[in-house]
């Protein structure tokens, strides 16, 4: 699997000279494997992904973790949705009270957006997911609900025994009263267990987290503890606060990993970065 980061910022795009290294676009990851083109989330990063998408691709699969704005705001600007030659599949979390297509229509309608879903040249194919497992080409996709306000899925993508785990918005402390001591009772454990690469929410410092409990995000220390629990090979810290500069992110990582003996790699996820798994 070839993985490319098109956006790893949280909450709001944050372009600017102070964010050149880690980037300002919100959540969007591209995964290519054989014929399969899979996109994780439709944050503002999906605009450039669409611009540089190979013209040979005729089918794309967009897996939405949840429908918060920072994960969907780029969808209306995703070029393949306006190209009748490309089939777009949109996947997202199922809820008991409203179909996914209705929730997506709220974004694709005035006054939030001028174009309705029904006005696109080719209506995207909508797939509702819960605790699901299915195939896209040769990639096995597993989804499961994780701890974040509103229905939210984490994704585990497996191909040729390589595993990518994607948990961009995830509050570990709220997912288990005994975190990090009970793996089987920890939200997201089955998604991330043994992953080659884990992209995980690390929005806050431990100090900041104290005043943000219940907001749906994790501290960098908790993300690292989770990576250790799941025995991942590499952890890329994700969902950077929009206010945080490159310099501050580097300092955060330094402060949080000092005196820690880690047997896996931890880095700050950066827009433009590619990973080759397997
Ligand atoms: Zn988010
Ligand atoms: Zn969210």
């Amino acid at each position: 699997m070839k993985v490319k980061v098109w956006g790893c910022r949280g909450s709001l795009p944050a372009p600017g000279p102070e964010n050149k290294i880690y980037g300002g676009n919100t959540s969007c990851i591209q995964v290519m494997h054989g014929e399969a083109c899979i996109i994780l989330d439709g944050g503002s990063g999906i605009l450039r992904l669409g611009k540089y998408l190979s013209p040979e691709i005729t089918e794309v699969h967009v897996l939405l973790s949840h429908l918060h704005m920072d994960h969907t705001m780029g969808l209306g600007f995703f070029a393949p949705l306006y190209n009748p030659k490309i089939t777009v599949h949109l996947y997202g979390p199922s809820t008991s009270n409203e179909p996914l297509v209705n929730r997506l229509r709220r974004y694709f309608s005035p006054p939030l957006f001028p174009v309705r879903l029904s006005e696109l040249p080719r209506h995207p194919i909508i797939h509702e997911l819960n605790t699901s497992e299915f195939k896209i080409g040769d990639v096995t996709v597993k989804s499961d609900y994780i701890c974040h306000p509103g229905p939210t899925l984490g994704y585990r993508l497996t191909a040729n025994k390589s595993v990518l785990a994607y948990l961009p918005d995830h509050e570990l402390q709220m997912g288990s009263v005994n975190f990090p001591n009970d793996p089987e009772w920890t939200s997201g454990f089955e998604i991330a267990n043994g992953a080659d690469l884990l992209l995980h929410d690390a929005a806050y410092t431990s100090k900041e987290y104290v005043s943000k409990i219940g907001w749906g995000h994790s501290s960098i220390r908790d993300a690292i503890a989770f990576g250790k629990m799941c025995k991942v090979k590499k952890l890329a810290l994700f969902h950077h606060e929009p206010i945080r500069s490159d310099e501050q992110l580097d300092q955060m990582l330094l402060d949080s990993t000092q005196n820690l003996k880690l047997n896996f790699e931890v880095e700050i996820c950066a827009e433009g970065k590619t990973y080759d798994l397997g």
Side-chain angles (χ1 to χ4, degrees):
M1 280 187 290
K2 291 202 182 334
V3 179
K4 180 158 185 179
V5 180
W6 292 91
C8 48
R9 192 64 59 174
S11 307
L12 191 73
E18 68 281 22
N19 295 336
K20 269 192 192 143
I21 298 173
Y22 300 113
N25 279 305
T26 63
S27 302
C28 185
I29 303 292
Q30 183 180 17
V31 181
M32 300 297 294
H33 181 73
E35 300 284 293
C37 174
I38 301 172
I39 297 165
L40 297 162
D41 276 332
S44 66
I46 205 170
L47 171 86
R48 288 188 71 238
L49 189 166
K51 184 175 163 188
Y52 293 107
L53 195 70
S54 161
E56 284 156 28
I57 289 173
T58 55
E59 191 165 29
V60 297
H61 300 262
V62 182
L63 311 181
L64 301 172
S65 59
H66 61 312
L67 301 195
H68 282 163
M69 285 285 287
D70 53 325
H71 299 257
T72 53
M73 59 168 56
L75 288 176
F77 303 89
F78 184 44
L81 280 174
Y82 301 88
N83 182 344
K85 290 186 185 137
I86 302 182
T87 306
V88 178
H89 297 261
L90 282 179
Y91 305 71
S94 178
T95 64
S96 54
N97 55 355
E98 198 178 10
L100 177 62
V101 70
N102 288 6
R103 286 176 284 139
L104 287 166
R105 277 184 192 136
R106 288 202 208 142
Y107 166 75
F108 281 95
S109 62
L112 292 180
F113 197 69
V115 185
R116 294 177 192 274
L117 271 184
S118 57
E119 289 166 350
L120 293 171
R122 197 164 171 185
H123 199 292
I125 301 167
I126 310 291
H127 305 261
E128 298 215 4
L129 301 176
N130 38 55
T131 304
S132 316
E133 189 169 324
F134 59 100
K135 283 249 187 193
I136 297 175
D138 292 327
V139 181
T140 302
V141 179
K142 194 173 159 179
S143 60
D144 201 1
Y145 290 107
I146 55 166
C147 191
H148 187 66
T152 303
L153 296 170
Y155 289 105
R156 179 184 178 93
L157 273 52
T158 309
N160 293 343
K161 294 185 181 161
S162 296
V163 175
L164 166 70
Y166 180 68
L167 297 136
D169 294 41
H170 187 210
E171 187 167 357
L172 287 156
Q173 294 274 355
M174 294 294 275
S176 167
V177 284
N178 204 16
F179 180 78
N181 298 318
D182 288 329
E184 64 271 36
W185 291 103
T186 299
S187 164
F189 176 72
E190 286 185 19
I191 292 291
N193 193 19
D196 295 275
L197 173 64
L198 165 63
L199 303 173
H200 196 282
D201 188 334
Y204 308 131
T205 63
S206 300
K207 205 173 156 193
E208 286 167 343
Y209 178 66
V210 177
S211 61
K212 316 259 185 188
I213 292 169
W215 289 29
H217 301 285
S218 292
S219 71
I220 183 167
R221 282 305 273 263
D222 285 348
I224 291 171
F226 182 64
K228 191 176 166 192
M229 170 199 284
C230 296
K231 297 189 172 66
V232 302
K233 290 206 179 91
K234 184 180 276 200
L235 165 65
L237 303 166
F238 205 85
H239 211 273
H240 315 315
E241 284 281 88
I243 206 77
R244 201 98 68 196
S245 68
D246 291 334
E247 211 177 309
Q248 288 169 324
L249 283 168
D250 285 335
Q251 192 60 48
M252 247 177 98
L253 179 62
L254 201 67
D255 293 345
S256 307
T257 49
Q258 253 171 7
N259 310 320
L260 281 185
K261 280 204 181 80
L262 295 172
N263 56 358
F264 62 96
E265 281 178 71
V266 179
E267 65 184 29
I268 298 166
C269 196
E271 190 174 323
K273 173 119 192 196
T274 57
Y275 301 90
D276 204 341
L277 305 185

